[in-house]
Short mmCIF file of all heavy atoms in Angstrom, two decimals:
data_model
loop_
_atom_site.label_atom_id
_atom_site.label_comp_id
_atom_site.label_asym_id
_atom_site.label_seq_id
_atom_site.Cartn_x
_atom_site.Cartn_y
_atom_site.Cartn_z
N VAL D 1 19.21 -52.64 11.17
CA VAL D 1 20.13 -51.59 11.39
C VAL D 1 21.20 -51.63 10.38
O VAL D 1 21.75 -52.70 10.07
CB VAL D 1 20.66 -51.73 12.88
CG1 VAL D 1 21.70 -50.57 13.13
CG2 VAL D 1 19.55 -51.62 13.87
N LYS D 2 21.60 -50.46 9.89
CA LYS D 2 22.73 -50.37 8.94
C LYS D 2 23.99 -50.90 9.56
O LYS D 2 24.31 -50.55 10.71
CB LYS D 2 22.94 -48.94 8.49
CG LYS D 2 21.75 -48.36 7.68
CD LYS D 2 21.97 -46.90 7.36
CE LYS D 2 20.79 -46.34 6.61
NZ LYS D 2 20.90 -44.88 6.39
N GLN D 3 24.75 -51.69 8.82
CA GLN D 3 25.95 -52.34 9.27
C GLN D 3 26.94 -51.34 9.87
O GLN D 3 27.49 -51.56 10.95
CB GLN D 3 26.64 -53.09 8.13
CG GLN D 3 25.92 -54.38 7.66
CD GLN D 3 26.40 -55.53 8.51
OE1 GLN D 3 27.57 -55.84 8.69
NE2 GLN D 3 25.42 -56.28 9.06
N ASP D 4 27.12 -50.23 9.23
CA ASP D 4 28.13 -49.26 9.68
C ASP D 4 27.62 -48.40 10.88
O ASP D 4 28.30 -47.55 11.41
CB ASP D 4 28.54 -48.32 8.53
CG ASP D 4 27.42 -47.48 7.97
OD1 ASP D 4 26.24 -47.82 8.14
OD2 ASP D 4 27.72 -46.40 7.34
N LYS D 5 26.36 -48.61 11.34
CA LYS D 5 25.82 -47.86 12.39
C LYS D 5 25.44 -48.70 13.63
O LYS D 5 24.88 -48.18 14.60
CB LYS D 5 24.63 -47.06 11.93
CG LYS D 5 24.88 -46.04 10.89
CD LYS D 5 23.91 -44.93 10.86
CE LYS D 5 24.27 -43.82 9.99
NZ LYS D 5 25.03 -42.81 10.66
N MET D 6 25.78 -50.00 13.55
CA MET D 6 25.37 -50.91 14.63
C MET D 6 25.95 -50.52 16.03
O MET D 6 25.19 -50.57 16.99
CB MET D 6 25.70 -52.35 14.23
CG MET D 6 24.86 -52.88 13.14
SD MET D 6 25.41 -54.49 12.49
CE MET D 6 25.60 -55.48 13.96
N GLU D 7 27.24 -50.24 16.07
CA GLU D 7 27.83 -49.97 17.40
C GLU D 7 27.29 -48.66 17.92
O GLU D 7 27.00 -48.53 19.13
CB GLU D 7 29.38 -49.95 17.25
CG GLU D 7 29.97 -51.30 17.06
CD GLU D 7 29.51 -52.40 18.03
OE1 GLU D 7 29.46 -52.08 19.26
OE2 GLU D 7 29.15 -53.46 17.58
N GLU D 8 27.10 -47.68 17.10
CA GLU D 8 26.52 -46.40 17.52
C GLU D 8 25.11 -46.58 18.11
O GLU D 8 24.75 -46.06 19.09
CB GLU D 8 26.45 -45.42 16.34
CG GLU D 8 27.37 -44.23 16.39
CD GLU D 8 27.15 -43.35 15.19
OE1 GLU D 8 26.26 -42.47 15.29
OE2 GLU D 8 27.80 -43.55 14.19
N TYR D 9 24.37 -47.39 17.28
CA TYR D 9 22.99 -47.71 17.71
C TYR D 9 22.98 -48.33 19.08
O TYR D 9 22.18 -47.93 19.94
CB TYR D 9 22.30 -48.61 16.67
CG TYR D 9 20.87 -48.92 16.98
CD1 TYR D 9 19.82 -48.12 16.55
CD2 TYR D 9 20.52 -50.09 17.67
CE1 TYR D 9 18.53 -48.37 16.83
CE2 TYR D 9 19.20 -50.35 18.02
CZ TYR D 9 18.21 -49.49 17.55
OH TYR D 9 16.92 -49.77 17.82
N LYS D 10 23.81 -49.31 19.31
CA LYS D 10 23.86 -50.00 20.63
C LYS D 10 24.23 -49.00 21.73
O LYS D 10 23.61 -49.05 22.81
CB LYS D 10 24.94 -51.13 20.64
CG LYS D 10 24.52 -52.27 19.74
CD LYS D 10 25.65 -53.29 19.80
CE LYS D 10 25.61 -54.32 18.69
NZ LYS D 10 26.78 -55.24 18.80
N GLU D 11 25.18 -48.16 21.45
CA GLU D 11 25.60 -47.15 22.44
C GLU D 11 24.43 -46.24 22.81
O GLU D 11 24.22 -45.91 23.98
CB GLU D 11 26.78 -46.34 21.93
CG GLU D 11 27.41 -45.42 22.99
CD GLU D 11 27.94 -46.12 24.24
OE1 GLU D 11 28.26 -47.35 24.16
OE2 GLU D 11 27.92 -45.48 25.27
N HIS D 12 23.71 -45.74 21.87
CA HIS D 12 22.56 -44.92 22.13
C HIS D 12 21.54 -45.60 22.99
O HIS D 12 20.88 -44.97 23.85
CB HIS D 12 21.93 -44.35 20.90
CG HIS D 12 22.79 -43.36 20.12
ND1 HIS D 12 23.33 -42.23 20.70
CD2 HIS D 12 23.16 -43.30 18.83
CE1 HIS D 12 24.07 -41.58 19.84
NE2 HIS D 12 23.93 -42.19 18.65
N HIS D 13 21.40 -46.93 22.77
CA HIS D 13 20.37 -47.60 23.55
C HIS D 13 20.87 -48.03 24.90
O HIS D 13 20.07 -48.52 25.77
CB HIS D 13 19.85 -48.86 22.74
CG HIS D 13 18.82 -48.38 21.73
ND1 HIS D 13 19.22 -47.75 20.51
CD2 HIS D 13 17.49 -48.31 21.77
CE1 HIS D 13 18.13 -47.40 19.86
NE2 HIS D 13 17.10 -47.72 20.54
N ARG D 14 22.14 -47.86 25.19
CA ARG D 14 22.62 -48.07 26.58
C ARG D 14 22.33 -46.78 27.40
O ARG D 14 22.38 -46.78 28.62
CB ARG D 14 24.13 -48.29 26.53
CG ARG D 14 24.55 -49.66 26.02
CD ARG D 14 26.04 -49.87 26.10
NE ARG D 14 26.44 -51.00 25.34
CZ ARG D 14 27.03 -51.00 24.15
NH1 ARG D 14 27.36 -49.86 23.58
NH2 ARG D 14 27.31 -52.12 23.51
N HIS D 15 21.99 -45.73 26.74
CA HIS D 15 21.74 -44.44 27.34
C HIS D 15 20.45 -43.76 26.78
O HIS D 15 20.49 -42.65 26.36
CB HIS D 15 22.96 -43.48 27.20
CG HIS D 15 24.21 -44.07 27.56
ND1 HIS D 15 24.58 -44.25 28.88
CD2 HIS D 15 25.22 -44.56 26.80
CE1 HIS D 15 25.74 -44.83 28.94
NE2 HIS D 15 26.17 -45.13 27.67
N VAL D 16 19.36 -44.51 26.78
CA VAL D 16 18.06 -43.99 26.28
C VAL D 16 17.68 -42.79 27.14
O VAL D 16 17.72 -42.88 28.41
CB VAL D 16 16.99 -45.07 26.26
CG1 VAL D 16 15.67 -44.47 25.92
CG2 VAL D 16 17.40 -46.20 25.29
N TRP D 17 17.32 -41.74 26.47
CA TRP D 17 16.92 -40.48 27.26
C TRP D 17 15.86 -40.81 28.33
O TRP D 17 14.91 -41.55 28.10
CB TRP D 17 16.31 -39.48 26.35
CG TRP D 17 17.09 -39.13 25.11
CD1 TRP D 17 18.48 -39.23 24.97
CD2 TRP D 17 16.64 -38.56 23.88
NE1 TRP D 17 18.87 -38.76 23.75
CE2 TRP D 17 17.75 -38.38 23.04
CE3 TRP D 17 15.39 -38.21 23.46
CZ2 TRP D 17 17.66 -37.85 21.78
CZ3 TRP D 17 15.22 -37.74 22.17
CH2 TRP D 17 16.37 -37.50 21.32
N PRO D 18 16.07 -40.28 29.53
CA PRO D 18 15.12 -40.50 30.65
C PRO D 18 13.65 -40.13 30.20
O PRO D 18 12.70 -40.85 30.58
CB PRO D 18 15.59 -39.63 31.77
CG PRO D 18 17.08 -39.51 31.51
CD PRO D 18 17.20 -39.51 29.98
N GLU D 19 13.48 -39.06 29.44
CA GLU D 19 12.13 -38.64 29.08
C GLU D 19 11.50 -39.65 28.09
O GLU D 19 10.29 -39.88 28.11
CB GLU D 19 12.16 -37.24 28.32
CG GLU D 19 12.86 -37.23 27.00
CD GLU D 19 12.95 -35.93 26.38
OE1 GLU D 19 11.84 -35.41 25.92
OE2 GLU D 19 14.04 -35.35 26.26
N MET D 20 12.34 -40.35 27.30
CA MET D 20 11.86 -41.37 26.41
C MET D 20 11.46 -42.61 27.23
O MET D 20 10.43 -43.25 26.95
CB MET D 20 12.94 -41.74 25.38
CG MET D 20 12.51 -42.64 24.30
SD MET D 20 11.15 -41.95 23.36
CE MET D 20 10.99 -43.25 22.11
N GLN D 21 12.25 -42.98 28.19
CA GLN D 21 11.95 -44.13 29.06
C GLN D 21 10.62 -43.88 29.78
O GLN D 21 9.78 -44.78 29.85
CB GLN D 21 13.10 -44.34 30.03
CG GLN D 21 14.36 -44.86 29.38
CD GLN D 21 15.48 -45.02 30.47
OE1 GLN D 21 15.14 -45.27 31.61
NE2 GLN D 21 16.72 -44.88 30.04
N ALA D 22 10.45 -42.69 30.26
CA ALA D 22 9.20 -42.35 31.00
C ALA D 22 8.00 -42.38 30.00
O ALA D 22 6.92 -42.87 30.43
CB ALA D 22 9.31 -40.94 31.65
N ALA D 23 8.22 -41.88 28.84
CA ALA D 23 7.08 -41.92 27.84
C ALA D 23 6.69 -43.34 27.48
O ALA D 23 5.48 -43.65 27.37
CB ALA D 23 7.52 -41.14 26.55
N LEU D 24 7.66 -44.23 27.33
CA LEU D 24 7.44 -45.59 26.98
C LEU D 24 6.57 -46.23 28.19
O LEU D 24 5.53 -46.93 27.93
CB LEU D 24 8.65 -46.40 26.81
CG LEU D 24 9.39 -46.08 25.46
CD1 LEU D 24 10.81 -46.53 25.51
CD2 LEU D 24 8.65 -46.70 24.23
N LYS D 25 7.02 -46.05 29.36
CA LYS D 25 6.27 -46.61 30.53
C LYS D 25 4.84 -46.03 30.60
O LYS D 25 3.95 -46.77 30.91
CB LYS D 25 7.06 -46.31 31.84
CG LYS D 25 8.31 -47.18 31.94
CD LYS D 25 8.99 -46.88 33.28
CE LYS D 25 10.29 -47.59 33.41
NZ LYS D 25 10.16 -49.10 33.49
N ARG D 26 4.75 -44.71 30.39
CA ARG D 26 3.46 -44.08 30.50
C ARG D 26 2.46 -44.60 29.44
O ARG D 26 1.29 -44.58 29.62
CB ARG D 26 3.71 -42.56 30.17
CG ARG D 26 2.76 -41.67 30.83
CD ARG D 26 3.05 -40.18 30.86
NE ARG D 26 3.93 -39.67 29.76
CZ ARG D 26 5.19 -39.24 29.97
NH1 ARG D 26 5.81 -39.32 31.14
NH2 ARG D 26 5.92 -38.77 28.99
N ASN D 27 3.05 -45.11 28.29
CA ASN D 27 2.17 -45.62 27.25
C ASN D 27 2.10 -47.11 27.16
O ASN D 27 1.69 -47.64 26.08
CB ASN D 27 2.58 -44.97 25.92
CG ASN D 27 2.23 -43.52 25.85
OD1 ASN D 27 1.15 -43.17 25.61
ND2 ASN D 27 3.21 -42.66 26.18
N GLY D 28 2.47 -47.75 28.24
CA GLY D 28 2.25 -49.22 28.25
C GLY D 28 3.27 -50.05 27.59
O GLY D 28 3.00 -51.21 27.25
N TRP D 29 4.48 -49.55 27.40
CA TRP D 29 5.60 -50.34 26.77
C TRP D 29 6.34 -50.98 27.91
O TRP D 29 7.37 -50.48 28.37
CB TRP D 29 6.46 -49.50 25.88
CG TRP D 29 5.80 -49.00 24.66
CD1 TRP D 29 4.70 -48.18 24.56
CD2 TRP D 29 6.20 -49.21 23.30
NE1 TRP D 29 4.39 -47.91 23.28
CE2 TRP D 29 5.29 -48.54 22.46
CE3 TRP D 29 7.27 -49.89 22.72
CZ2 TRP D 29 5.44 -48.55 21.09
CZ3 TRP D 29 7.38 -49.91 21.33
CH2 TRP D 29 6.45 -49.27 20.54
N ASN D 30 5.91 -52.14 28.36
CA ASN D 30 6.53 -52.78 29.53
C ASN D 30 7.41 -53.98 29.10
O ASN D 30 7.12 -54.61 28.11
CB ASN D 30 5.42 -53.38 30.49
CG ASN D 30 4.47 -52.21 30.89
OD1 ASN D 30 4.88 -51.09 31.21
ND2 ASN D 30 3.16 -52.47 30.79
N HIS D 31 8.40 -54.17 29.86
CA HIS D 31 9.38 -55.32 29.63
C HIS D 31 9.91 -55.23 28.18
O HIS D 31 10.03 -56.20 27.47
CB HIS D 31 8.68 -56.68 29.83
CG HIS D 31 8.14 -56.91 31.18
ND1 HIS D 31 8.88 -57.16 32.29
CD2 HIS D 31 6.86 -56.68 31.64
CE1 HIS D 31 8.12 -57.19 33.35
NE2 HIS D 31 6.89 -56.93 33.01
N TYR D 32 10.18 -54.02 27.78
CA TYR D 32 10.66 -53.67 26.42
C TYR D 32 12.11 -54.12 26.30
O TYR D 32 12.94 -53.74 27.00
CB TYR D 32 10.50 -52.19 26.18
CG TYR D 32 10.76 -51.74 24.74
CD1 TYR D 32 10.84 -52.53 23.67
CD2 TYR D 32 10.93 -50.38 24.50
CE1 TYR D 32 11.00 -52.08 22.38
CE2 TYR D 32 11.11 -49.86 23.23
CZ TYR D 32 11.17 -50.76 22.22
OH TYR D 32 11.36 -50.28 20.95
N SER D 33 12.38 -54.93 25.27
CA SER D 33 13.76 -55.46 24.92
C SER D 33 14.01 -55.34 23.49
O SER D 33 13.10 -55.50 22.64
CB SER D 33 13.82 -56.99 25.36
OG SER D 33 13.64 -57.15 26.73
N LEU D 34 15.29 -55.10 23.19
CA LEU D 34 15.80 -55.16 21.79
C LEU D 34 16.91 -56.19 21.72
O LEU D 34 17.79 -56.22 22.61
CB LEU D 34 16.30 -53.75 21.39
CG LEU D 34 15.32 -52.64 21.33
CD1 LEU D 34 16.00 -51.32 21.01
CD2 LEU D 34 14.25 -52.94 20.22
N PHE D 35 16.87 -56.99 20.67
CA PHE D 35 17.92 -57.93 20.46
C PHE D 35 18.48 -57.68 19.03
O PHE D 35 17.67 -57.45 18.09
CB PHE D 35 17.36 -59.37 20.56
CG PHE D 35 16.69 -59.68 21.82
CD1 PHE D 35 15.35 -59.31 22.03
CD2 PHE D 35 17.39 -60.30 22.87
CE1 PHE D 35 14.72 -59.62 23.29
CE2 PHE D 35 16.80 -60.61 24.03
CZ PHE D 35 15.48 -60.28 24.25
N MET D 36 19.80 -57.78 18.85
CA MET D 36 20.38 -57.61 17.52
C MET D 36 21.25 -58.78 17.11
O MET D 36 22.09 -59.28 17.89
CB MET D 36 21.20 -56.34 17.50
CG MET D 36 21.58 -55.92 16.08
SD MET D 36 22.62 -54.44 15.92
CE MET D 36 21.71 -53.22 16.80
N ARG D 37 21.08 -59.17 15.86
CA ARG D 37 21.87 -60.22 15.24
C ARG D 37 23.13 -59.55 14.67
O ARG D 37 23.16 -58.38 14.48
CB ARG D 37 21.09 -60.88 14.14
CG ARG D 37 21.51 -62.29 13.76
CD ARG D 37 20.45 -62.97 12.99
NE ARG D 37 20.26 -62.37 11.63
CZ ARG D 37 19.41 -62.81 10.74
NH1 ARG D 37 18.64 -63.87 10.96
NH2 ARG D 37 19.28 -62.18 9.55
N GLU D 38 24.18 -60.32 14.38
CA GLU D 38 25.42 -59.78 13.81
C GLU D 38 25.29 -58.98 12.56
O GLU D 38 26.07 -58.09 12.29
CB GLU D 38 26.37 -60.93 13.51
CG GLU D 38 27.02 -61.65 14.63
CD GLU D 38 28.00 -62.70 14.22
OE1 GLU D 38 28.06 -63.08 13.02
OE2 GLU D 38 28.65 -63.25 15.08
N ASP D 39 24.27 -59.28 11.77
CA ASP D 39 24.10 -58.59 10.52
C ASP D 39 23.19 -57.33 10.65
O ASP D 39 22.81 -56.73 9.66
CB ASP D 39 23.52 -59.52 9.45
CG ASP D 39 22.13 -60.04 9.75
OD1 ASP D 39 21.58 -59.74 10.89
OD2 ASP D 39 21.52 -60.74 8.94
N GLY D 40 22.82 -57.00 11.90
CA GLY D 40 22.01 -55.82 12.06
C GLY D 40 20.50 -56.08 12.17
O GLY D 40 19.74 -55.15 12.42
N LEU D 41 20.03 -57.32 12.02
CA LEU D 41 18.64 -57.59 12.20
C LEU D 41 18.25 -57.38 13.57
O LEU D 41 18.91 -57.93 14.52
CB LEU D 41 18.31 -59.07 11.79
CG LEU D 41 16.80 -59.39 11.85
CD1 LEU D 41 15.99 -58.57 10.85
CD2 LEU D 41 16.58 -60.88 11.70
N LEU D 42 17.27 -56.54 13.83
CA LEU D 42 16.90 -56.16 15.15
C LEU D 42 15.50 -56.70 15.47
O LEU D 42 14.61 -56.52 14.68
CB LEU D 42 16.85 -54.62 15.28
CG LEU D 42 16.57 -54.05 16.63
CD1 LEU D 42 17.83 -54.10 17.49
CD2 LEU D 42 16.20 -52.58 16.45
N PHE D 43 15.40 -57.35 16.63
CA PHE D 43 14.08 -57.90 17.06
C PHE D 43 13.70 -57.07 18.34
O PHE D 43 14.53 -57.02 19.24
CB PHE D 43 14.13 -59.36 17.39
CG PHE D 43 12.92 -59.89 18.05
CD1 PHE D 43 11.74 -60.02 17.39
CD2 PHE D 43 12.97 -60.23 19.41
CE1 PHE D 43 10.58 -60.45 18.08
CE2 PHE D 43 11.84 -60.67 20.09
CZ PHE D 43 10.67 -60.80 19.43
N GLY D 44 12.51 -56.52 18.33
CA GLY D 44 12.02 -55.81 19.51
C GLY D 44 10.86 -56.59 20.09
O GLY D 44 10.10 -57.23 19.40
N PHE D 45 10.77 -56.50 21.44
CA PHE D 45 9.68 -57.14 22.12
C PHE D 45 9.23 -56.30 23.29
O PHE D 45 10.07 -55.67 23.97
CB PHE D 45 10.13 -58.54 22.63
CG PHE D 45 9.13 -59.11 23.66
CD1 PHE D 45 8.11 -59.91 23.13
CD2 PHE D 45 9.25 -58.95 25.03
CE1 PHE D 45 7.19 -60.49 24.02
CE2 PHE D 45 8.39 -59.48 25.91
CZ PHE D 45 7.30 -60.24 25.42
N PHE D 46 7.90 -56.25 23.49
CA PHE D 46 7.39 -55.61 24.71
C PHE D 46 6.06 -56.13 25.06
O PHE D 46 5.41 -56.86 24.23
CB PHE D 46 7.37 -54.04 24.63
CG PHE D 46 6.37 -53.45 23.67
CD1 PHE D 46 5.09 -52.97 24.05
CD2 PHE D 46 6.64 -53.36 22.33
CE1 PHE D 46 4.24 -52.43 23.20
CE2 PHE D 46 5.73 -52.78 21.41
CZ PHE D 46 4.53 -52.37 21.88
#
């Protein structure tokens, strides 16, 4: 994630669109988690 966009990115993921959440569940994305390091390195797991 770009350094200058990290806080915005986090904020958007605190409020993921309900339709996006439903689509993820519908397509087998279970226990989906995102983790971010201070430098913007993002690790995703599902």
Side-chain angles (χ1 to χ4, degrees):
V1 176
K2 294 175 182 174
Q3 288 273 309
D4 63 338
K5 295 204 173 272
M6 288 171 52
E7 289 309 314
E8 250 183 87
Y9 182 86
K10 289 180 198 177
E11 186 60 27
H12 290 309
H13 282 80
R14 287 183 193 105
H15 308 284
V16 175
W17 306 338
E19 68 182 291
M20 188 61 177
Q21 292 179 29
L24 288 162
K25 288 182 185 292
R26 210 170 22 252
N27 287 283
W29 292 60
N30 305 315
H31 305 280
Y32 188 13
S33 298
L34 295 173
F35 302 86
M36 191 183 305
R37 204 166 66 179
E38 286 181 353
D39 65 355
L41 182 67
L42 185 77
F43 169 72
F45 170 85
F46 68 98

